[in-house]
Amino acid sequence: MPAQLRPAGIVGTGSCLPERVVTNAELERIVDTSDEWIRTRTGIRERRLAGPDTAASDLAVPAAVKALDRAGIRPEDLDLIIVATVTPDTLFPATACLVQERLGARGAAAFDLSAGCSGFIYGLAVANQFISTGVYRTAVVIGVEILSKIINWQDRNTCVLFGDGAGAVVLQAVAPGEGILGLHLGADGNGGNLLSIPAGGSRLPASPDSVREQLHTIHMNGPEVFKFAVRIMGEASLKALEQAGLTRADVDFLIPHQANIRIIEAATKRLGLAPEKVYVNLHRYGNMSSASIPVALDEACREGRLHRGDRVVLVAFGAGLTWGAAVLRWSL
Ligand code: UT7
């Protein structure tokens, strides 16, 4: 990072999860699956699902309020709100604008960011630019998903994997040597068809046919996404570490995107990390897309798993295809 830039760091975290817990046993009653298959193939035991009246902003706002409280920052002092999501309340206005209004963050710039499950890392990278260059003082980055509303509940290949939730972080400039030390983002649009929602956009607007054919729900080639994920999680982490001038031997803690325990184990192995250095909450929440990492970060922080000075790697992959990794020196 050039000397004239100030490092941006996380100064507060928060999360919000729906209360309703749905176990694998409950899914056995909906599709032809088994608790044993889900546990052994994915590591997931249960997930949280939002009620019919809950939209993304309803989880995003409490997550942001908690992060602001912990940072001791008033909403009116926010300069920037980024909401990473593939399940916004509406196509427009942006969910970030709805969050801005409900937080009372008058005047803050606000926009949504769509990068699949890598959305939170992309959001962190964007906020980092604004803060490290001194353009803005305080930003909140929120990862939120209500994936239960875009799932085909008859498709056992996808419906057992996902959950709903929101996580938020507040970013400000921190002391030199702390905060975000390295970032790596990437995309490969050639793999876009491996994980998508075909209808509901300008290519295939919603119609009775698209709804009947479930084209407004998640379509995924699981095995291909799996292969990509196993490769990219290690590669992206190593690139972000290199950018920070560190190696895998310097990593104190890894918070990977929580999609599949076998993908997490492969990344752990690639980075040569002991399992106790890796945060996993996938068994309780399933894959919450862009909310996975900020929720895990908030929990790890509150559980006392992160210590000031720890070198923490965050790494994600997702629809696009996209990937992203960040290396932080923990400053809380
Ligand atoms: O955040 C990014 C989002 N996506 C991902 O991260 C997904 C990455 N991919 C994966 O995690 C894995 O590919 C899955 C968990 C989705 C699937 O695991 P897999 O080991 O790749 O299984 P598969 O898709 O190759 O399917 C194996 C078998 C198939 O049966 P046959 O054809 O061998 O008879 C599937 O039909 O397992 C069957 N199967 C199921 N069986 C019971 C697929 N889903 C289920 C299910 N319950 N829920």
Side-chain angles (χ1 to χ4, degrees):
M1 185 172 291
Q4 73 272 23
L5 298 184
R6 310 168 311 163
I10 291 172
V11 296
T13 66
S15 59
C16 177
L17 293 147
E19 279 178 19
R20 185 170 163 232
V21 176
V22 175
T23 62
N24 292 345
E26 285 176 69
L27 296 184
E28 285 178 2
R29 286 181 234 133
I30 301 175
V31 283
D32 179 17
T33 190
S34 68
D35 172 53
E36 205 260 336
W37 191 96
I38 302 170
R39 270 189 296 104
T40 54
R41 302 311 291 165
T42 73
I44 300 165
R45 290 173 182 270
E46 58 190 39
R47 70 286 293 141
R48 300 293 183 93
L49 298 190
D53 297 332
T54 302
S57 65
D58 300 325
L59 300 185
V61 169
V65 166
K66 284 182 203 160
L68 286 164
D69 276 354
R70 292 203 186 106
I73 289 167
R74 297 175 310 167
E76 52 267 40
D77 293 330
L78 275 176
D79 301 306
L80 174 66
I81 300 169
I82 300 176
V83 173
T85 188
V86 294
T87 49
D89 287 30
T90 54
L91 276 180
F92 67 85
T95 298
C97 295
L98 307 176
V99 170
Q100 186 231 36
E101 149 70 12
R102 280 165 65 182
L103 285 178
R106 196 172 302 159
F111 62 88
D112 289 359
L113 190 156
S114 170
C117 306
S118 313
F120 177 75
I121 307 285
Y122 268 67
L124 206 60
V126 175
N128 179 53
Q129 301 305 312
F130 281 110
I131 288 172
S132 64
T133 51
V135 173
Y136 288 142
R137 201 167 165 270
T138 310
V140 65
V141 180
I142 305 166
V144 58
E145 302 294 0
I146 310 277
L147 295 168
S148 58
K149 305 239 181 143
I150 58 162
I151 285 170
N152 176 355
W153 286 101
Q154 278 122 46
D155 177 14
R156 69 175 185 174
N157 291 296
T158 51
C159 77
V160 302
L161 304 175
F162 298 103
D164 302 335
V169 299
V170 178
L171 290 151
Q172 281 189 332
V174 293
E178 293 191 333
I180 297 172
L181 307 177
L183 276 161
H184 171 72
L185 303 179
D188 177 7
N190 190 35
N193 62 339
L194 297 178
L195 182 49
S196 69
I197 295 189
S202 57
R203 178 65 62 198
L204 202 54
S207 67
D209 281 350
S210 73
V211 172
R212 195 170 38 251
E213 291 164 30
Q214 291 279 354
L215 296 177
H216 59 291
T217 61
I218 296 178
H219 288 238
M220 181 175 75
N221 180 333
E224 284 305 313
V225 175
F226 186 93
K227 277 189 253 166
F228 156 74
V230 164
R231 176 174 61 79
I232 211 68
M233 293 279 267
E235 269 178 40
S237 303
L238 292 173
K239 286 203 170 127
L241 281 165
E242 192 186 328
Q243 211 216 23
L246 300 172
T247 71
R248 56 189 191 165
D250 298 312
V251 178
D252 296 305
F253 205 62
L254 174 72
I255 301 187
H257 173 45
Q258 310 279 314
N260 186 314
I261 193 66
R262 293 181 290 140
I263 295 171
I264 294 174
E265 282 166 1
T268 305
K269 199 167 158 209
R270 177 83 199 276
L271 295 172
L273 294 178
E276 58 271 20
K277 289 185 170 182
V278 183
Y279 196 77
V280 178
N281 61 9
L282 167 80
H283 50 293
R284 286 184 280 130
Y285 302 132
N287 179 349
M288 297 185 288
S289 187
S290 62
S292 279
I293 289 182
V295 168
L297 195 55
D298 180 50
E299 293 199 334
C301 192
R302 287 187 289 115
E303 288 165 10
R305 301 276 304 270
L306 292 168
H307 311 101
R308 188 166 191 162
D310 277 356
R311 280 163 298 219
V312 184
V313 174
L314 314 177
V315 61
F317 65 93
L321 298 168
T322 57
W323 58 90
V327 180
L328 295 99
R329 187 124 205 198
W330 198 244
S331 52
L332 280 178

